[in-house]
Amino acid sequence: MESFSDHVSLVVIRPLSAVLFVFSFILIGWALAWKLVLVHVPLVQEIFGLKKKQFKPKPPTRRLSKLYSAMEARNSTSPWLA
């Protein structure tokens, strides 16, 4: 004959412990994935507001613009283009 404690164990404690085990397994897996992978994904960073976008101002003159400016200066002072 089953006792009351056997019935409680079968109906309440076992399912509750199984659900807690599954949730803890999922939680530990999520924490590991978060620490190892997800924190470094730019889309996840943007969604959770972890990293603000840094806008770098462009330098006033770049190498190619200096080159073209120098070429234009040479061409405008050249006597053959008049």
Coordinates of all heavy atoms in Angstrom, one line a residue:
M1 N 0.8 -1.2 0.0 CA 0.0 0.0 0.0 C 0.9 1.2 0.0 O 1.9 1.3 0.7 CB -0.8 0.0 1.2 CG -2.0 0.9 1.2 SD -3.4 0.1 1.8 CE -4.6 1.1 1.0
E2 N 0.5 2.2 -0.8 CA 1.2 3.4 -0.9 C 1.0 4.4 0.3 O -0.2 4.5 0.7 CB 0.9 4.2 -2.2 CG 1.5 3.5 -3.4 CD 1.2 4.4 -4.7 OE1 1.0 5.6 -4.5 OE2 1.2 3.8 -5.8
S3 N 2.0 5.0 0.7 CA 1.8 5.9 1.8 C 1.6 7.3 1.2 O 1.8 7.6 0.0 CB 3.0 5.9 2.8 OG 4.1 6.4 2.1
F4 N 1.2 8.3 2.0 CA 1.0 9.6 1.6 C 2.3 10.3 1.1 O 2.2 11.0 0.1 CB 0.4 10.4 2.8 CG 0.1 11.9 2.4 CD1 -1.0 12.2 1.6 CD2 0.9 12.9 2.9 CE1 -1.2 13.5 1.2 CE2 0.6 14.2 2.5 CZ -0.4 14.5 1.7
S5 N 3.4 10.0 1.7 CA 4.7 10.6 1.3 C 5.1 10.1 -0.1 O 5.7 10.8 -0.9 CB 5.7 10.4 2.3 OG 6.0 9.0 2.4
D6 N 4.8 8.8 -0.4 CA 5.1 8.3 -1.7 C 4.3 9.0 -2.8 O 4.7 9.3 -3.9 CB 4.9 6.8 -1.7 CG 5.9 6.0 -0.9 OD1 7.0 6.5 -0.6 OD2 5.6 4.8 -0.6
H7 N 3.0 9.2 -2.5 CA 2.1 9.9 -3.4 C 2.5 11.3 -3.6 O 2.5 11.8 -4.8 CB 0.7 9.8 -2.8 CG -0.3 10.4 -3.8 ND1 -0.6 9.8 -5.0 CD2 -1.1 11.5 -3.7 CE1 -1.6 10.5 -5.6 NE2 -1.9 11.5 -4.8
V8 N 2.9 12.0 -2.6 CA 3.4 13.4 -2.7 C 4.7 13.4 -3.5 O 4.8 14.3 -4.4 CB 3.6 14.1 -1.3 CG1 4.3 15.4 -1.5 CG2 2.2 14.3 -0.6
S9 N 5.5 12.5 -3.3 CA 6.8 12.5 -4.0 C 6.5 12.2 -5.5 O 7.2 12.8 -6.4 CB 7.7 11.4 -3.5 OG 8.8 11.2 -4.3
L10 N 5.6 11.3 -5.8 CA 5.3 11.0 -7.2 C 4.6 12.1 -7.9 O 4.9 12.4 -9.1 CB 4.5 9.7 -7.2 CG 4.2 9.1 -8.6 CD1 5.5 8.6 -9.2 CD2 3.2 7.9 -8.5
V11 N 3.7 12.8 -7.3 CA 2.9 13.8 -7.9 C 3.5 15.2 -7.9 O 3.3 15.9 -8.9 CB 1.4 13.8 -7.3 CG1 0.6 14.9 -7.8 CG2 0.8 12.5 -7.5
V12 N 4.1 15.6 -6.8 CA 4.6 17.0 -6.7 C 6.1 17.1 -6.8 O 6.6 17.9 -7.6 CB 4.1 17.5 -5.3 CG1 4.6 18.9 -5.1 CG2 2.6 17.4 -5.2
I13 N 6.9 16.4 -6.1 CA 8.3 16.6 -6.0 C 9.0 16.2 -7.2 O 9.9 17.0 -7.7 CB 8.9 15.9 -4.7 CG1 8.3 16.5 -3.5 CG2 10.4 16.0 -4.7 CD1 8.6 15.8 -2.2
R14 N 8.7 15.1 -7.8 CA 9.4 14.7 -9.0 C 9.2 15.6 -10.2 O 10.2 16.0 -10.9 CB 9.1 13.2 -9.3 CG 9.8 12.2 -8.5 CD 9.5 10.8 -9.0 NE 10.2 9.8 -8.2 CZ 10.1 8.5 -8.5 NH1 9.4 8.1 -9.5 NH2 10.8 7.7 -7.7
P15 N 7.9 15.9 -10.5 CA 7.7 16.9 -11.7 C 8.4 18.2 -11.4 O 8.9 18.8 -12.3 CB 6.2 17.0 -11.8 CG 5.7 15.7 -11.1 CD 6.7 15.4 -10.1
L16 N 8.3 18.7 -10.2 CA 8.8 20.0 -9.8 C 10.3 20.0 -10.0 O 10.9 20.9 -10.5 CB 8.4 20.4 -8.4 CG 8.8 21.8 -8.0 CD1 8.1 22.8 -8.9 CD2 8.4 22.0 -6.5
S17 N 11.0 18.9 -9.5 CA 12.4 18.8 -9.6 C 12.9 18.7 -11.1 O 13.9 19.2 -11.5 CB 13.0 17.7 -8.8 OG 12.5 16.5 -9.2
A18 N 12.1 18.0 -11.9 CA 12.4 17.8 -13.3 C 12.3 19.2 -14.0 O 13.2 19.5 -14.8 CB 11.4 16.8 -14.0
V19 N 11.2 20.0 -13.7 CA 11.1 21.3 -14.4 C 12.2 22.2 -13.9 O 12.8 22.9 -14.7 CB 9.7 21.9 -14.0 CG1 9.6 23.3 -14.4 CG2 8.6 21.1 -14.7
L20 N 12.6 22.2 -12.6 CA 13.7 23.0 -12.2 C 15.0 22.6 -12.8 O 15.8 23.5 -13.1 CB 13.8 22.9 -10.6 CG 12.7 23.7 -9.9 CD1 12.9 23.4 -8.4 CD2 12.8 25.1 -10.1
F21 N 15.2 21.3 -13.0 CA 16.4 20.9 -13.7 C 16.5 21.4 -15.1 O 17.6 21.9 -15.5 CB 16.5 19.3 -13.6 CG 17.7 18.8 -14.4 CD1 18.9 18.8 -13.8 CD2 17.5 18.2 -15.6 CE1 20.0 18.3 -14.5 CE2 18.6 17.8 -16.3 CZ 19.9 17.8 -15.7
V22 N 15.4 21.3 -15.8 CA 15.4 21.7 -17.2 C 15.6 23.2 -17.3 O 16.4 23.7 -18.1 CB 14.1 21.3 -17.9 CG1 13.9 22.0 -19.2 CG2 14.0 19.8 -18.1
F23 N 15.0 24.0 -16.4 CA 15.1 25.5 -16.5 C 16.6 25.9 -16.1 O 17.1 26.8 -16.6 CB 14.1 26.2 -15.6 CG 12.8 26.4 -16.2 CD1 11.6 26.0 -15.5 CD2 12.7 26.8 -17.5 CE1 10.4 26.2 -16.1 CE2 11.4 27.0 -18.1 CZ 10.3 26.7 -17.4
S24 N 17.1 25.2 -15.1 CA 18.5 25.5 -14.7 C 19.5 25.2 -15.8 O 20.4 25.9 -16.1 CB 18.9 24.8 -13.4 OG 18.9 23.4 -13.6
F25 N 19.2 24.1 -16.5 CA 20.1 23.7 -17.6 C 20.0 24.7 -18.7 O 21.0 25.1 -19.3 CB 19.6 22.3 -18.2 CG 20.5 21.7 -19.2 CD1 21.8 21.2 -18.9 CD2 20.1 21.7 -20.5 CE1 22.6 20.7 -19.8 CE2 21.0 21.2 -21.5 CZ 22.2 20.6 -21.1
I26 N 18.8 25.2 -19.1 CA 18.6 26.2 -20.1 C 19.3 27.5 -19.6 O 19.9 28.2 -20.4 CB 17.1 26.4 -20.4 CG1 16.6 25.2 -21.1 CG2 16.9 27.7 -21.2 CD1 15.1 25.2 -21.3
L27 N 19.1 27.9 -18.4 CA 19.7 29.1 -17.8 C 21.2 29.1 -17.9 O 21.9 30.1 -18.3 CB 19.2 29.4 -16.4 CG 19.6 30.7 -15.8 CD1 18.9 31.8 -16.5 CD2 19.2 30.7 -14.3
I28 N 21.8 28.0 -17.5 CA 23.3 27.9 -17.5 C 23.8 27.9 -19.0 O 24.8 28.6 -19.3 CB 23.7 26.6 -16.8 CG1 23.5 26.7 -15.3 CG2 25.2 26.3 -17.1 CD1 23.7 25.4 -14.6
G29 N 23.1 27.3 -19.9 CA 23.4 27.3 -21.3 C 23.3 28.7 -21.9 O 24.2 29.1 -22.6
W30 N 22.3 29.4 -21.5 CA 22.1 30.8 -22.0 C 23.3 31.7 -21.4 O 23.8 32.5 -22.1 CB 20.8 31.3 -21.6 CG 20.6 32.8 -21.9 CD1 20.7 33.8 -21.1 CD2 20.4 33.3 -23.2 NE1 20.6 35.0 -21.8 CE2 20.4 34.7 -23.1 CE3 20.3 32.8 -24.5 CZ2 20.2 35.6 -24.2 CZ3 20.1 33.7 -25.6 CH2 20.1 35.0 -25.4
A31 N 23.6 31.5 -20.2 CA 24.6 32.3 -19.5 C 26.0 32.1 -20.2 O 26.7 33.0 -20.5 CB 24.7 32.0 -18.0
L32 N 26.3 30.8 -20.5 CA 27.5 30.5 -21.2 C 27.6 31.1 -22.6 O 28.6 31.7 -23.0 CB 27.7 29.0 -21.2 CG 28.2 28.3 -20.0 CD1 28.2 26.8 -20.1 CD2 29.6 28.8 -19.7
A33 N 26.5 30.9 -23.3 CA 26.4 31.5 -24.7 C 26.5 33.0 -24.6 O 27.2 33.6 -25.5 CB 25.1 31.1 -25.3
W34 N 25.9 33.6 -23.6 CA 26.0 35.1 -23.5 C 27.4 35.6 -23.3 O 27.9 36.5 -23.9 CB 25.0 35.5 -22.4 CG 25.1 37.0 -22.2 CD1 25.8 37.7 -21.3 CD2 24.4 38.0 -22.9 NE1 25.6 39.0 -21.4 CE2 24.7 39.3 -22.4 CE3 23.5 37.9 -24.0 CZ2 24.2 40.4 -22.9 CZ3 23.0 39.1 -24.5 CH2 23.3 40.3 -23.9
K35 N 28.0 34.9 -22.3 CA 29.4 35.3 -21.9 C 30.4 35.0 -23.0 O 31.3 35.8 -23.2 CB 29.9 34.6 -20.6 CG 29.2 35.1 -19.4 CD 29.7 36.5 -19.1 CE 29.1 37.0 -17.8 NZ 29.5 38.3 -17.5
L36 N 30.2 33.9 -23.7 CA 31.3 33.5 -24.7 C 31.0 34.0 -26.1 O 32.0 34.3 -26.8 CB 31.3 32.0 -24.7 CG 31.8 31.3 -23.4 CD1 31.7 29.8 -23.6 CD2 33.2 31.7 -23.0
V37 N 29.8 34.2 -26.5 CA 29.5 34.5 -27.9 C 28.6 35.7 -28.1 O 29.0 36.7 -28.8 CB 28.8 33.3 -28.6 CG1 28.5 33.6 -30.0 CG2 29.7 32.1 -28.5
L38 N 27.5 35.8 -27.4 CA 26.5 36.8 -27.8 C 26.9 38.2 -27.4 O 26.5 39.1 -28.1 CB 25.2 36.4 -27.1 CG 24.5 35.2 -27.6 CD1 23.2 34.9 -26.8 CD2 24.2 35.3 -29.1
V39 N 27.7 38.4 -26.5 CA 28.2 39.7 -26.1 C 29.0 40.4 -27.2 O 29.0 41.6 -27.4 CB 29.0 39.7 -24.8 CG1 29.6 41.0 -24.5 CG2 28.1 39.3 -23.6
H40 N 29.6 39.6 -28.0 CA 30.5 40.1 -29.1 C 29.8 40.3 -30.4 O 30.4 40.8 -31.3 CB 31.7 39.1 -29.3 CG 32.4 38.9 -28.0 ND1 33.2 39.8 -27.4 CD2 32.5 37.8 -27.2 CE1 33.7 39.4 -26.3 NE2 33.3 38.1 -26.1
V41 N 28.5 40.0 -30.5 CA 27.8 40.1 -31.8 C 27.2 41.5 -31.8 O 26.5 42.0 -30.9 CB 26.6 39.1 -31.9 CG1 25.8 39.3 -33.1 CG2 27.2 37.7 -31.8
P42 N 27.6 42.3 -32.8 CA 27.1 43.7 -32.9 C 25.6 43.9 -32.9 O 25.1 44.8 -32.3 CB 27.7 44.2 -34.2 CG 28.8 43.3 -34.5 CD 28.5 42.0 -33.9
L43 N 24.9 43.0 -33.5 CA 23.4 43.1 -33.5 C 22.9 43.0 -32.1 O 22.0 43.8 -31.7 CB 22.8 42.1 -34.4 CG 21.3 42.1 -34.5 CD1 20.8 43.4 -35.1 CD2 20.8 40.9 -35.3
V44 N 23.4 42.0 -31.3 CA 22.9 41.8 -29.9 C 23.3 43.0 -29.1 O 22.6 43.5 -28.2 CB 23.5 40.5 -29.4 CG1 23.1 40.4 -27.9 CG2 23.0 39.3 -30.2
Q45 N 24.5 43.6 -29.3 CA 25.0 44.8 -28.6 C 24.0 45.9 -28.9 O 23.7 46.7 -27.9 CB 26.4 45.1 -29.0 CG 27.4 44.2 -28.5 CD 28.8 44.5 -29.1 OE1 28.9 45.4 -29.9 NE2 29.8 43.8 -28.6
E46 N 23.6 46.1 -30.1 CA 22.7 47.2 -30.4 C 21.3 47.0 -29.8 O 20.7 47.9 -29.3 CB 22.6 47.3 -32.0 CG 21.8 48.5 -32.4 CD 21.9 48.6 -33.9 OE1 22.8 48.1 -34.6 OE2 20.9 49.2 -34.5
I47 N 20.8 45.8 -29.9 CA 19.5 45.5 -29.3 C 19.4 45.8 -27.8 O 18.5 46.4 -27.3 CB 19.1 44.1 -29.6 CG1 18.8 43.9 -31.1 CG2 17.8 43.7 -28.8 CD1 18.6 42.5 -31.6
F48 N 20.4 45.3 -27.1 CA 20.4 45.4 -25.6 C 21.1 46.7 -25.2 O 21.2 46.9 -24.0 CB 21.1 44.2 -25.0 CG 20.3 43.0 -25.1 CD1 20.6 42.0 -26.0 CD2 19.2 42.8 -24.2 CE1 19.8 40.8 -26.1 CE2 18.4 41.6 -24.3 CZ 18.7 40.7 -25.2
G49 N 21.6 47.5 -26.1 CA 22.2 48.8 -25.7 C 23.5 48.7 -24.9 O 23.8 49.5 -24.1
L50 N 24.2 47.6 -25.3 CA 25.5 47.4 -24.5 C 26.6 48.3 -25.0 O 27.5 48.7 -24.2 CB 25.9 45.9 -24.7 CG 25.0 44.9 -24.2 CD1 25.5 43.5 -24.5 CD2 24.8 45.1 -22.7
K51 N 26.6 48.7 -26.3 CA 27.7 49.5 -26.8 C 27.1 50.6 -27.7 O 26.4 50.3 -28.6 CB 28.6 48.6 -27.6 CG 29.9 49.2 -28.1 CD 30.7 48.2 -28.8 CE 32.0 48.8 -29.2 NZ 32.8 47.8 -30.0
K52 N 27.4 51.8 -27.3 CA 27.0 52.9 -28.2 C 27.8 53.0 -29.4 O 29.0 52.7 -29.4 CB 27.1 54.2 -27.4 CG 26.4 54.2 -26.1 CD 24.9 54.2 -26.3 CE 24.2 54.3 -25.0 NZ 22.8 54.1 -25.1
K53 N 27.2 53.4 -30.5 CA 27.9 53.5 -31.8 C 28.8 54.7 -31.6 O 28.4 55.8 -31.2 CB 27.0 53.7 -32.9 CG 26.3 52.4 -33.4 CD 25.5 52.7 -34.7 CE 25.0 51.4 -35.2 NZ 24.3 51.6 -36.4
Q54 N 30.1 54.5 -32.0 CA 31.0 55.6 -32.0 C 31.2 56.1 -33.4 O 31.5 55.4 -34.3 CB 32.4 55.1 -31.5 CG 32.3 54.6 -30.1 CD 33.6 54.0 -29.6 OE1 34.6 53.9 -30.4 NE2 33.7 53.6 -28.4
F55 N 30.9 57.4 -33.5 CA 31.0 58.1 -34.8 C 32.4 58.8 -34.8 O 32.6 59.7 -34.0 CB 29.9 59.1 -35.0 CG 28.6 58.4 -35.1 CD1 27.7 58.4 -34.0 CD2 28.2 57.8 -36.3 CE1 26.4 57.8 -34.1 CE2 26.9 57.2 -36.4 CZ 26.1 57.2 -35.3
K56 N 33.2 58.4 -35.8 CA 34.5 59.0 -35.9 C 34.4 60.1 -36.9 O 34.0 59.8 -38.0 CB 35.5 57.9 -36.3 CG 35.8 56.8 -35.4 CD 36.8 55.9 -35.9 CE 37.0 54.7 -34.9 NZ 38.0 53.7 -35.4
P57 N 34.8 61.3 -36.6 CA 34.8 62.4 -37.6 C 35.8 62.1 -38.6 O 36.9 61.6 -38.3 CB 35.1 63.6 -36.7 CG 35.8 63.1 -35.5 CD 35.3 61.7 -35.3
K58 N 35.5 62.4 -39.8 CA 36.4 62.2 -40.9 C 37.5 63.3 -40.9 O 37.2 64.4 -40.5 CB 35.7 62.3 -42.3 CG 34.8 61.1 -42.5 CD 34.2 61.2 -43.9 CE 33.3 60.0 -44.1 NZ 32.7 60.0 -45.5
P59 N 38.7 62.9 -41.2 CA 39.7 63.9 -41.2 C 39.4 65.0 -42.3 O 38.8 64.6 -43.3 CB 41.0 63.1 -41.5 CG 40.6 61.8 -42.0 CD 39.2 61.6 -41.5
P60 N 39.9 66.2 -42.1 CA 39.5 67.2 -43.1 C 40.1 67.0 -44.5 O 39.5 67.3 -45.5 CB 40.1 68.5 -42.4 CG 41.0 68.1 -41.4 CD 40.6 66.7 -41.0
T61 N 41.3 66.5 -44.5 CA 41.9 66.1 -45.8 C 42.4 64.7 -45.8 O 43.1 64.3 -44.8 CB 43.0 67.1 -46.2 OG1 44.0 67.1 -45.2 CG2 42.5 68.5 -46.4
R62 N 42.2 64.0 -46.8 CA 42.6 62.7 -46.9 C 43.8 62.6 -48.0 O 44.1 63.6 -48.7 CB 41.5 61.7 -47.4 CG 40.4 61.7 -46.3 CD 39.4 60.7 -46.8 NE 39.0 59.9 -45.6 CZ 38.0 59.1 -45.6 NH1 37.3 58.9 -46.7 NH2 37.8 58.4 -44.5
R63 N 44.4 61.5 -48.1 CA 45.5 61.3 -49.0 C 45.2 61.6 -50.4 O 45.8 62.3 -51.1 CB 46.1 59.9 -48.9 CG 47.0 59.8 -47.7 CD 47.8 58.5 -47.8 NE 47.2 57.6 -46.9 CZ 47.4 56.3 -46.9 NH1 48.3 55.8 -47.7 NH2 46.8 55.5 -46.0
L64 N 44.1 61.0 -50.9 CA 43.7 61.2 -52.3 C 43.2 62.7 -52.5 O 43.6 63.2 -53.6 CB 42.5 60.3 -52.6 CG 42.9 58.8 -52.8 CD1 41.7 57.9 -53.1 CD2 44.0 58.6 -53.8
S65 N 42.6 63.3 -51.6 CA 42.2 64.7 -51.8 C 43.4 65.6 -51.8 O 43.4 66.5 -52.6 CB 41.2 65.1 -50.7 OG 41.8 65.1 -49.5
K66 N 44.4 65.3 -51.0 CA 45.7 66.0 -51.1 C 46.3 65.8 -52.5 O 46.8 66.8 -53.1 CB 46.6 65.6 -50.0 CG 46.3 66.0 -48.6 CD 47.3 65.6 -47.6 CE 47.0 66.0 -46.2 NZ 48.0 65.5 -45.3
L67 N 46.3 64.6 -53.0 CA 46.9 64.3 -54.3 C 46.2 65.1 -55.4 O 46.8 65.7 -56.2 CB 46.9 62.8 -54.5 CG 47.4 62.3 -55.9 CD1 48.9 62.5 -56.0 CD2 47.0 60.9 -56.1
Y68 N 44.9 65.0 -55.4 CA 44.1 65.7 -56.4 C 44.3 67.2 -56.3 O 44.3 67.9 -57.3 CB 42.6 65.3 -56.3 CG 42.4 63.9 -56.8 CD1 41.4 63.1 -56.1 CD2 43.0 63.3 -57.9 CE1 41.2 61.8 -56.5 CE2 42.8 62.1 -58.3 CZ 41.9 61.3 -57.6 OH 41.6 60.0 -57.9
S69 N 44.3 67.7 -55.1 CA 44.6 69.2 -54.9 C 45.9 69.6 -55.4 O 46.1 70.6 -56.1 CB 44.5 69.5 -53.4 OG 43.2 69.3 -52.9
A70 N 46.9 68.8 -55.2 CA 48.3 69.1 -55.7 C 48.3 69.0 -57.2 O 48.9 69.8 -57.9 CB 49.3 68.1 -55.1
M71 N 47.6 68.0 -57.8 CA 47.5 67.9 -59.3 C 46.8 69.1 -59.9 O 47.2 69.6 -60.9 CB 46.8 66.6 -59.7 CG 47.6 65.4 -59.4 SD 46.7 63.8 -59.7 CE 46.3 64.0 -61.4
E72 N 45.7 69.5 -59.2 CA 45.0 70.7 -59.8 C 45.8 72.0 -59.7 O 45.8 72.8 -60.5 CB 43.7 70.9 -59.0 CG 42.6 69.9 -59.3 CD 41.4 70.1 -58.4 OE1 41.3 71.1 -57.7 OE2 40.5 69.2 -58.4
A73 N 46.6 72.1 -58.6 CA 47.4 73.2 -58.4 C 48.5 73.3 -59.5 O 48.8 74.3 -60.0 CB 48.1 73.3 -57.0
R74 N 49.1 72.1 -59.8 CA 50.1 72.0 -60.8 C 49.5 72.3 -62.2 O 50.1 73.0 -63.0 CB 50.8 70.6 -60.8 CG 52.0 70.5 -59.9 CD 52.7 69.2 -60.1 NE 52.3 68.4 -58.9 CZ 52.1 67.1 -59.0 NH1 52.2 66.5 -60.1 NH2 51.7 66.4 -57.9
N75 N 48.3 71.8 -62.4 CA 47.7 72.0 -63.7 C 47.3 73.4 -63.9 O 47.3 73.9 -65.0 CB 46.5 71.0 -63.9 CG 47.0 69.6 -64.1 OD1 48.1 69.3 -64.4 ND2 46.0 68.7 -63.8
S76 N 46.8 74.1 -62.9 CA 46.3 75.4 -63.1 C 47.5 76.4 -63.3 O 47.3 77.5 -63.9 CB 45.5 75.9 -61.8 OG 46.3 75.9 -60.7
T77 N 48.7 76.1 -62.8 CA 49.9 77.0 -63.0 C 50.6 76.6 -64.2 O 51.6 77.2 -64.6 CB 50.8 76.9 -61.8 OG1 51.2 75.6 -61.6 CG2 50.1 77.4 -60.5
S78 N 50.3 75.5 -64.9 CA 51.0 75.0 -66.1 C 50.7 76.0 -67.3 O 49.5 76.3 -67.6 CB 50.6 73.6 -66.4 OG 51.2 73.2 -67.6
P79 N 51.7 76.4 -68.0 CA 51.5 77.3 -69.1 C 50.9 76.6 -70.4 O 50.3 77.2 -71.2 CB 52.9 77.8 -69.5 CG 53.8 76.8 -68.9 CD 53.1 76.2 -67.7
W80 N 50.9 75.3 -70.4 CA 50.4 74.5 -71.6 C 48.9 74.4 -71.6 O 48.3 74.1 -72.6 CB 51.0 73.1 -71.7 CG 52.5 73.2 -71.8 CD1 53.2 73.7 -72.9 CD2 53.5 72.8 -70.9 NE1 54.5 73.6 -72.7 CE2 54.8 73.0 -71.5 CE3 53.5 72.2 -69.7 CZ2 56.0 72.7 -70.9 CZ3 54.7 71.9 -69.0 CH2 55.9 72.1 -69.7
L81 N 48.2 74.6 -70.4 CA 46.8 74.4 -70.4 C 46.0 75.7 -70.6 O 44.8 75.7 -70.6 CB 46.4 73.8 -69.0 CG 46.9 72.4 -68.8 CD1 46.5 72.0 -67.4 CD2 46.3 71.4 -69.8
A82 N 46.6 76.8 -70.9 CA 46.0 78.0 -71.1 C 45.2 78.1 -72.3 O 44.5 77.6 -72.9 CB 47.0 79.2 -71.1

